[in-house]
Amino acid sequence: MTTELFTGAEMVVKSLSALKVKYIFGYPGGSVLDIYDAIFQQDEIEHILVRHEQAATHMADGYARATGEVGVVLATSGPGATNCVTGIATAYMDSIPMVVLAGQVATSLIGNDAFQETDIVGCTRPIIKHSFSCRSLADIPDAISKAFYIASTGRPGPVVIELPKDILIPQNKGPFSIETDIKIRSYNPNVNGHPKQIKKAVQAIARAKKLVIYSGGGIVLSDASELLTKLVETLKAPITNTLMGLGGISGTHEQFIGMLGMHGSLEANKSMANADVILALGARFDDRVTNNVEKFCPNATIIHVDIDPTSISKTINAHIPVVGLVEVVMQQLLDELSDINFSPDEVALTLWWQQINLWRNVKSMSYDQAENEKIKPQRVVEALYKITQGDAYVCSDVGQHQMFAAQHYPFAKPRRWINSGGAGTMGFGLPAAMGVKLAFPDKHVICITGDGSIQMNIQELSTCSQYKLPVVIVTLNNRSLGMVRQWQDMVYGGRHSSSYMESLPDFVKVAEAYGHVGIKIDHLDELEEKLTQAFNIKDRLVFVDVMVDEKEHVYPMQIRTGAIDEMWLKKGVKA
Amino acid sequence: MRRILAILMENEPGSLSRIVGLFSQRAFNIESLTVAPTDDNSLSRMTIATIGDDKVLEQIVKQVNKLIDVIKIIDITDRQHIERELLLVKVTAMTDKSRNEVKRITDIFRGNIIDIGKQVYTVQLTGNAEKLNAFITALQHETEIIESARSGCVGMARGDKALRI
């Protein structure tokens, strides 16, 4: 019997099939034409042709964030691959499982400055979890299989695979086999928290009078939201989420005190500052949370649960570190709490909640909307919440609109809030929303964006036409780069250096030019009606261009170099 | 504080650049770095001498460990350990006096003259960094150093402790 032989390109596609990949997001070019030819000749995997490789990475990223699966990108060598760099960095910063297949010039040409040659493995080294340089046919299935395993386990992240042209071409064939039960001797992520640390953590929790639970993106990534809710309800303590952790617990849960950090709620930041024990779950004490680390929560014993040891005691020293998968560690905590017959100190809890409710009553997220004035951006987000009942997938770009969305759309479920938190990548929102819509065609998928961000990947409106992706784009149009402008107002004496947008296009016409529906909203009294109208159009993309008050700032806001709870509530008003 | 880290890693293309890249990316110091395959050819062993406080060192160890290619990393500085570095130094040896002095200093430090030219000696010395520094200073008093090459240190724990899979 003769063994069937395959080309490298066929092996790429067969490997992806074996790993149950449904979509590849990419753009063809010289070095990967053989892979495109192999894709053409099968129907298990659908290729989505973007208009710019950066968008392919964000689409794969959005798809991964919404589904929990690995997002797959295919790009050609040189500029195709370098266009992926921003998307890879975005996925890296937010720990998103992604595999990027990058073409490369033939092995004999590597190092010769050949046409469309870039050392993409070198370019991406600081922003990947791992990378593979294939040099022979036999490397391909092994690299792809390992890449998926590495990308999706432990702390997830992007993996790059470099595929030189000469190992893909038809002249080169070999037998195919793929091992999907992967073991790597140098890679064994911790799963269980150390029992001693669990005991210590529970002892600290049991002694606490002012406990705060602070949870992050790790809860969302590991689908641990039910367990988190159970833990939170057992402890009866307040819970705050990071920007990445929103939806980890329902935004309307009575123990939820809002997002914390730079634009977090006063009650979240005050609770953290006054806590005696902080239970951090899958969060990393980012500088947008802590503010000045020297002044960070001086009286708190910090229990830090994270899958990644490097996150622990990197910025804030953890008194009780626990390395492990957050869902496993939370179950261990629940078991230990049950073993010691834990019941919360009701007297202390009552006092603690009384104090928190005083902070809550300040209503730090409030804003003033007069009926006959320009639309406040916050009002648009509230209207979106009302129409979609809190159950939409909300993909945002980066800037003021992102913060308004995070503050005013209480997410009922995890994986519904999709934004570039760590990297802060403008241009992320639209392609991410497209990836989500592909995965969940029957759900509301909104891209909340700004007039700056939308233009960073606006060419993808064309991809939306091609694949019929009826996302709802809502642009909070303030005719300026709002967050930059806000900082210039607050820190740079109101000098608006390059922060305003002259010659904005007519977005309605732009949408129409791509075959979509465009709706412009100018006045408050038409806001809800026209937004509802937009959501009633199910089969076409609707681009809603909302003219909002350009002078509105995002409040509350931490005061620079201050403690976590030192905040501006309004212009000139400190908490 | 100076620390010596011993790292056992996969002997794969790119492994070294991942480590070096990590140090520069996160602004960690490298005082010296040596690397070579071990008796098991699938593994490389690297020794890095670095400088940092406890917090920085904790991050270095964790970050290096996080690299997929790295199997183990230990800080050997805290325990009883052996540290060695190789020095090759070429010095001027034109006169009887300078030849005698170089020979004498080399003997005192238990080095070897391993090559001679018309007017130069090449000396080999092994030891810890401090010994090598002292030797160089002694040579400089007596003659002119033409060139020198140091290997950077390698090290391992004393006694039964071992870094292996």
Side-chain angles (χ1 to χ4, degrees):
Chain A
M1 202 183 94
T2 54
T3 321
E4 202 182 346
L5 299 178
F6 297 94
T7 68
E10 288 166 341
M11 288 187 190
V12 170
V13 177
K14 283 182 78 69
S15 302
L16 296 175
S17 280
L19 294 158
K20 305 194 168 45
V21 171
K22 297 186 205 80
Y23 299 104
I24 307 178
F25 306 94
Y27 204 99
S31 69
V32 290
L33 283 175
D34 294 289
I35 299 177
Y36 274 85
D37 198 43
I39 291 172
F40 190 84
Q41 297 178 56
Q42 54 84 54
D43 51 14
E44 285 180 41
I45 303 174
E46 189 181 355
H47 176 265
I48 306 295
L49 173 68
V50 293
R51 300 298 179 265
H52 187 295
E53 289 89 349
Q54 185 193 346
T57 56
H58 295 328
M59 257 185 109
D61 183 321
Y63 180 86
R65 289 181 202 235
T67 62
E69 293 167 26
V70 177
V72 184
V73 178
L74 173 58
T76 195
S77 62
T82 56
N83 276 346
C84 293
V85 167
T86 302
I88 295 169
T90 305
Y92 178 75
M93 291 298 280
D94 290 343
S95 311
I96 305 304
M98 181 189 285
V99 170
V100 178
L101 304 162
Q104 185 53 284
V105 299
T107 46
S108 59
L109 294 175
I110 289 177
N112 283 347
D113 298 323
F115 176 65
Q116 293 194 328
E117 180 188 356
T118 302
D119 173 15
I120 194 60
V121 165
C123 287
T124 55
R125 192 173 295 117
I127 51 168
I128 44 145
K129 186 166 173 190
H130 197 56
S131 53
F132 294 92
S133 301
C134 295
R135 288 295 178 264
S136 72
L137 280 177
D139 290 344
I140 294 173
D142 192 45
I144 293 179
S145 195
K146 282 182 177 164
F148 273 67
Y149 174 65
I150 291 169
S152 60
T153 53
R155 180 177 180 177
V159 178
V160 169
I161 304 175
E162 180 186 63
L163 297 161
K165 170 98 175 174
D166 56 318
I167 67 167
L168 302 171
I169 55 176
Q171 292 81 341
N172 229 336
K173 288 190 177 186
F176 172 80
S177 72
I178 184 163
E179 179 61 64
T180 49
D181 183 22
I182 300 292
K183 283 191 177 60
I184 300 174
R185 66 176 174 181
S186 59
Y187 174 67
N188 299 293
N190 251 0
V191 174
N192 297 307
H194 195 288
K196 268 189 191 162
Q197 297 300 94
I198 300 287
K199 277 204 161 52
K200 273 193 203 167
V202 166
Q203 282 162 10
I205 290 167
R207 278 197 308 269
K209 306 275 185 223
K210 297 173 179 182
L211 173 66
V212 177
I213 301 155
Y214 149 57
S215 81
I219 297 290
V220 178
L221 289 168
S222 55
D223 295 309
S225 139
E226 268 180 46
L227 207 53
L228 173 68
T229 309
K230 192 174 166 194
L231 181 63
V232 166
E233 287 172 358
T234 305
L235 298 175
K236 298 186 178 171
I239 173 162
T240 177
N241 285 163
T242 66
L243 178 68
M244 294 308 298
L246 292 174
I249 189 160
S250 168
T252 54
H253 194 287
E254 58 175 5
Q255 285 166 256
F256 181 60
I257 54 172
M259 179 173 77
L260 82 170
M262 179 174 275
H263 293 295
S265 73
L266 180 70
E267 56 268 36
N269 286 341
K270 281 281 182 198
S271 300
M272 288 287 284
N274 290 278
D276 61 357
V277 175
I278 292 171
L279 174 57
L281 300 166
R284 61 184 176 90
F285 297 88
D286 180 87
D287 55 274
R288 286 295 188 271
V289 162
T290 59
N291 213 8
N292 186 345
V293 291
E294 304 294 326
K295 299 179 182 173
F296 184 78
C297 305
N299 304 317
T301 299
I302 292 169
I303 306 165
H304 192 174
V305 180
D306 206 290
I307 184 68
D308 180 359
T310 69
S311 286
I312 294 175
S313 299
K314 180 167 63 183
T315 56
I316 300 294
N317 190 44
H319 304 96
I320 307 173
V322 188
V323 178
L325 279 177
V326 74
E327 70 268 35
V328 176
V329 173
M330 285 196 297
Q331 189 57 57
Q332 288 177 293
L333 291 173
L334 280 165
D335 292 346
E336 180 68 19
L337 285 164
S338 148
D339 283 355
I340 64 160
N341 292 318
F342 170 81
S343 67
D345 176 345
E346 294 292 342
V347 178
L349 258 184
T350 308
L351 286 170
W352 185 216
W353 275 108
Q354 275 172 1
Q355 174 63 66
I356 292 166
N357 286 330
L358 289 177
W359 294 321
R360 260 183 176 168
N361 290 341
V362 173
K363 298 195 186 309
S364 60
M365 299 283 175
S366 63
Y367 61 96
D368 299 318
Q369 171 79 69
E371 285 307 314
N372 48 4
E373 281 183 4
K374 288 180 182 170
I375 303 171
K376 295 289 182 185
Q378 298 94 322
R379 177 58 74 86
V380 183
V381 177
E382 284 179 1
L384 288 170
Y385 178 73
K386 202 170 144 192
I387 294 165
T388 58
Q389 309 282 313
D391 193 32
Y393 286 86
V394 176
C395 306
S396 97
D397 266 304
V398 169
Q400 284 186 323
H401 66 270
Q402 176 188 27
M403 291 300 115
F404 289 134
Q407 290 178 335
H408 296 276
Y409 195 106
F411 290 91
K413 295 172 186 167
R415 297 194 180 279
R416 292 297 198 275
W417 167 237
I418 289 170
N419 85 125
S420 167
T425 304
M426 289 173 72
F428 174 81
L430 175 58
M434 291 156 62
V436 177
K437 191 70 185 177
L438 204 60
F440 299 106
D442 301 326
K443 297 282 188 181
H444 286 311
V445 180
I446 312 173
C447 168
I448 298 184
T449 183
D451 47 287
S453 283
I454 189 63
Q455 293 192 83
M456 282 215 188
N457 266 319
I458 201 163
Q459 77 286 344
E460 296 308 316
L461 287 174
S462 172
T463 310
C464 291
S465 308
Q466 182 173 352
Y467 296 97
K468 311 238 173 320
L469 299 170
V471 301
V472 178
I473 298 171
V474 179
T475 302
L476 305 183
N477 188 338
N478 58 6
R479 283 82 59 204
S480 56
L481 304 177
M483 193 57 96
V484 171
R485 183 189 165 117
Q486 172 166 347
W487 279 65
Q488 289 171 339
D489 286 339
M490 297 175 81
V491 187
Y492 296 92
R495 292 181 294 279
H496 295 160
S497 177
S498 295
S499 63
Y500 54 92
M501 283 275 193
E502 284 179 322
S503 64
L504 276 180
D506 179 337
F507 287 115
V508 170
K509 282 189 183 158
V510 170
E512 286 169 358
Y514 282 105
H516 305 306
V517 179
I519 296 176
K520 189 170 183 179
I521 302 179
D522 266 318
H523 303 290
L524 186 61
D525 55 12
E526 57 179 5
L527 176 67
E528 282 194 28
E529 185 196 330
K530 284 197 174 173
L531 277 178
T532 308
Q533 188 192 330
F535 281 96
N536 284 337
I537 302 170
K538 305 279 183 204
D539 55 345
R540 295 179 68 190
L541 182 148
V542 186
F543 193 121
V544 190
D545 187 20
V546 191
M547 297 297 126
V548 297
D549 185 355
E550 71 278 9
K551 295 206 169 57
E552 191 63 15
H553 287 178
V554 182
Y555 285 112
M557 182 174 180
Q558 281 173 339
I559 298 169
R560 288 186 315 150
T561 74
I564 184 172
D565 61 333
E566 289 180 61
M567 300 191 87
W568 295 109
L569 292 176
K570 291 268 175 293
K571 190 177 179 184
V573 182
K574 285 188 187 177
Chain B
M1 187 175 181
R2 182 169 177 271
R3 297 287 183 152
I4 300 167
L5 305 172
I7 300 163
L8 203 58
M9 58 202 248
E10 298 290 351
N11 183 14
E12 299 271 352
S15 297
L16 172 62
S17 66
R18 290 181 210 280
I19 303 244
V20 175
L22 173 69
F23 271 74
S24 70
Q25 173 191 354
R26 298 202 178 260
F28 301 146
N29 290 303
I30 297 181
E31 191 186 82
S32 76
L33 182 155
T34 69
V35 62
T38 67
D39 54 306
D40 173 350
N41 206 37
S42 73
L43 296 172
S44 283
R45 179 162 173 146
M46 184 182 282
T47 312
I48 296 180
T50 184
I51 295 164
D53 61 23
D54 287 350
K55 193 175 161 73
V56 169
L57 200 86
E58 182 182 333
Q59 268 298 309
I60 293 176
V61 170
K62 285 173 167 180
Q63 293 285 358
V64 170
N65 229 341
K66 188 173 159 180
L67 294 173
I68 306 289
D69 287 337
V70 170
I71 295 170
K72 276 185 186 166
I73 171 169
I74 54 166
D75 177 355
I76 63 170
T77 330
D78 271 344
R79 58 190 82 179
Q80 291 276 312
H81 68 278
I82 304 153
E83 179 189 335
R84 289 291 181 274
E85 184 174 355
L86 172 70
L87 165 74
L88 296 178
V89 57
K90 193 172 283 183
V91 295
T92 310
M94 284 163 71
T95 61
D96 277 353
K97 181 175 176 289
S98 66
R99 285 178 200 179
N100 288 337
E101 278 307 313
V102 170
K103 178 78 175 78
R104 190 176 64 86
I105 295 166
T106 302
D107 288 344
I108 291 170
F109 280 85
R110 282 183 282 174
N112 297 306
I113 297 168
I114 55 171
D115 189 40
I116 56 171
K118 281 181 187 154
Q119 300 177 332
V120 301
Y121 279 179
T122 302
V123 186
Q124 164 192 302
L125 183 73
T126 55
N128 62 22
E130 206 177 312
K131 176 180 167 186
L132 266 48
N133 291 341
F135 180 61
I136 287 169
T137 309
L139 284 177
Q140 279 168 335
H141 283 307
E142 300 303 334
T143 183
E144 185 196 350
I145 293 178
I146 298 164
E147 66 169 320
S148 69
R150 294 172 70 150
S151 64
C153 74
V154 294
M156 60 174 64
R158 282 193 183 274
D160 297 334
K161 284 233 169 23
L163 176 63
R164 51 182 300 176
I165 296 182

